[in-house]
Amino acid sequence: MKVYLDNSATTAVEKEVLEAMLPYFSDIYGNPSSLHSFGRQALKAVDESRQKIAALLGAKPNEIYFTSGGTESDNWAIKGAVRASKNKRRQVITSAIEHPALLETCEALEKSGEAEVTYLKVNKEGLVDPADVKKALNDDTVIVSIMTANNEMGAIQPISEIGEIVRGEGVLFHTDAVQAADTLDLNVNALNVDLLSLSAHKFHGPKGIGLLYMRSGVRLDRLINGGHQERRQRAGTTNTPLIVGMAKALEISVRDRERNVKHMTELRDYFIGRALNEIPYCYLNGGTERRLANNINLSFGFIEGEAILMSLDLKGIAVSSGSACSSGSLEPSHVLLALGVKEELAHSSIRFSLGRDTTKEEIEYTINTLKEIVDRLRGMSPLFNIEKRTGSYV
Ligand SMILES: *Cc1c(COP(=O)(O)O)cnc(C)c1O
């Protein structure tokens, strides 16, 4: 059995999405910036996609800027805001549990001396306290960036509440909504944001395409210089097929959201319930209330996450230990450490991220396999055997 439980790393392109894109690779290949009929035909598809996406986000078409994905959108929002600011000292406020696309951008700006960055702490459920945002704001603040939902442990932030505080002070508010797009309702007005990043491959669209929503009136420095595409704000030949694919993928995601969220929530809660009941020294990272429908993040005492990941892989089950971007390094997840998870338990964590096509059968198979693997690995753990002998093993 093959089970893909790594939908937070990337998702499969929907068949309908692939079909919508195909003509734009071959038949309708004109450059949307060209004035002739080939170009105009492509431009029509791009315009329609922009309108569709804007409507789904409660935005205006000219507030949508296509980019190469979530990473570029995050870079652009922060660097663009800092570099466009007239503030003498430039402060950025963000959280300690952002995606590397955001954190590394902030670190680069600190290093170059372009900005000072305040990293807000989170509670053990991974939530930012809006009161902390208010306290951190000062006259130098250029932009506040807090992710809509966390990619590792699924915490859903009080974005709208934070937006009210930030925008009330005349400061820009950005959210990385990449991980939230498939399961949460994203309306830029309800969320109270000026800037929002999305990436198509996290909601069953193609890789290499994303967008930055930029509220009318917001001015950012350009990140990519060159031609006049995207109203002169983001250069590079317009990627017609991928844009068409992203619009189709978002349309499907919103259309089927209620059903998919219900399905994934049921599987998630069943999985968590069984894991906590049937596996000793198994802990849920993050809370149960404000959590993405598809996210499960568990730690297993006395075992390395990598060992579990590789054993599951041998059984055809794909998961992630920590975030996909930091797998391969031995650093424990910065997100789990920020939640106050002990280093050993952070090392033993596994993220299971469900998808709309995940079945109950796959979940049963995964839990049963997981139990066997945890038992076997613990059998080889000297620490666990000491624990067992001293009698605290239940
Ligand atoms: C995947 C992800 C990104 C990066 O998006 P890409 O399109 O892969 O560059 C950024 N932020 C979050 C929260 C993500 O999950």
Side-chain angles (χ1 to χ4, degrees):
M1 199 167 186
K2 279 273 191 193
V3 185
Y4 184 76
L5 295 179
D6 205 11
N7 288 279
S8 289
T10 198
T11 57
V13 171
E14 278 284 347
K15 210 163 157 234
E16 268 182 86
V17 171
L18 181 64
E19 277 161 12
M21 287 194 288
L22 282 176
Y24 297 94
F25 284 107
S26 46
D27 298 340
I28 309 167
Y29 56 82
N31 185 327
S33 300
S34 301
L35 299 177
H36 46 63
S37 66
F38 290 75
R40 289 199 307 272
Q41 212 183 351
L43 181 61
K44 186 165 173 280
V46 172
D47 282 347
E48 285 171 5
S49 298
R50 198 187 302 277
Q51 281 161 19
K52 196 188 278 179
I53 290 170
L56 291 168
L57 298 176
K60 297 182 213 112
N62 65 1
E63 295 175 317
I64 304 296
Y65 295 83
F66 295 122
T67 67
S68 64
T71 301
E72 183 188 329
S73 296
D74 285 353
N75 268 263
W76 187 15
I78 308 300
K79 289 177 183 165
V82 164
R83 291 171 185 166
S85 167
K86 304 254 183 318
N87 291 6
K88 227 193 206 136
R89 290 169 58 193
R90 296 158 178 185
Q91 188 215 19
V92 176
I93 299 173
T94 188
S95 83
I97 63 166
E98 298 294 312
H99 188 274
L102 212 294
L103 288 181
E104 297 265 332
T105 298
C106 287
E107 281 161 29
L109 289 171
E110 286 179 293
K111 230 179 195 163
S112 65
E114 290 172 274
E116 288 164 23
V117 184
T118 302
Y119 300 92
L120 298 177
K121 291 197 174 82
V122 294
N123 67 12
K124 69 179 196 323
E125 307 207 324
L127 299 174
V128 171
D129 184 347
D132 289 345
V133 178
K134 199 175 173 87
K135 268 185 247 155
L137 283 167
N138 64 44
D139 292 344
D140 301 320
T141 313
V142 175
I143 185 167
V144 175
S145 178
I146 305 290
M147 71 202 314
T148 311
N150 184 268
N151 47 301
E152 292 191 34
M153 42 65 69
I156 302 168
Q157 303 293 347
I159 293 302
S160 163
E161 217 178 320
I162 297 171
E164 210 157 294
I165 294 168
V166 173
R167 297 184 64 226
E169 296 292 322
V171 171
L172 289 177
F173 184 40
H174 168 255
T175 192
D176 173 341
V178 173
Q179 204 57 237
D182 201 32
T183 52
L184 298 184
D185 182 30
L186 296 180
N187 178 296
V188 294
N189 299 312
L191 285 172
N192 236 324
V193 295
D194 298 300
L195 297 153
L196 176 144
S197 304
L198 280 190
S199 173
H201 77 98
K202 301 285 175 75
F203 51 88
H204 299 269
K207 294 168 185 57
I209 186 80
L211 65 85
L212 183 64
Y213 157 77
M214 199 189 301
R215 192 175 287 279
S216 302
V218 172
R219 281 277 152 262
L220 298 185
D221 255 26
R222 266 162 273 191
L223 185 70
I224 311 275
N225 297 99
H228 290 172
Q229 293 89 358
E230 298 299 295
R231 301 173 298 289
R232 293 176 185 245
Q233 301 308 305
R234 197 279 187 181
T237 301
T238 308
N239 199 331
T240 314
L242 268 56
I243 289 168
V244 168
M246 176 160 65
K248 189 73 191 172
L250 191 60
E251 181 184 75
I252 294 171
S253 176
V254 173
R255 182 191 73 197
D256 299 343
R257 181 169 293 149
E258 212 177 297
R259 188 182 68 212
N260 289 337
V261 166
K262 184 169 177 283
H263 172 68
M264 291 189 280
T265 305
E266 279 167 13
L267 293 181
R268 178 197 70 185
D269 293 345
Y270 174 75
F271 190 120
I272 294 174
R274 274 196 65 188
L276 296 183
N277 272 325
E278 299 175 27
I279 305 177
Y281 302 97
C282 172
Y283 311 93
L284 178 69
N285 296 313
T288 48
E289 290 295 313
R290 301 184 61 94
R291 181 174 206 112
L292 287 177
N294 71 334
N295 178 284
I296 299 163
N297 189 313
L298 298 168
S299 283
F300 302 90
F302 312 101
I303 337 177
E304 286 287 325
E306 267 76 24
I308 302 175
L309 182 153
M310 286 186 283
S311 303
L312 285 170
D313 186 39
L314 288 174
K315 299 283 185 183
I317 302 166
V319 300
S320 169
S321 61
S323 100
C325 314
S326 58
S327 297
S329 76
L330 286 172
E331 289 289 305
S333 149
H334 69 284
V335 175
L336 297 188
L337 294 183
L339 260 55
V341 174
K342 286 206 215 86
E343 205 165 313
E344 279 158 51
L345 283 177
H347 271 299
S348 78
S349 74
I350 294 285
R351 177 186 70 188
F352 305 85
S353 45
L354 315 183
R356 52 177 76 150
D357 299 323
T358 305
T359 65
K360 181 86 183 265
E361 242 181 315
E362 291 176 333
I363 294 299
E364 300 276 7
Y365 171 68
T366 302
I367 299 192
N368 295 337
T369 309
L370 180 65
K371 283 168 66 177
E372 280 168 30
I373 288 170
V374 168
D375 260 357
R376 182 172 53 76
L377 292 173
R378 282 191 182 148
M380 302 187 299
S381 156
L383 264 180
F384 182 70
N385 286 314
I386 292 168
E387 175 85 8
K388 210 170 156 182
R389 256 185 284 126
T390 55
S392 50
Y393 176 58
V394 281

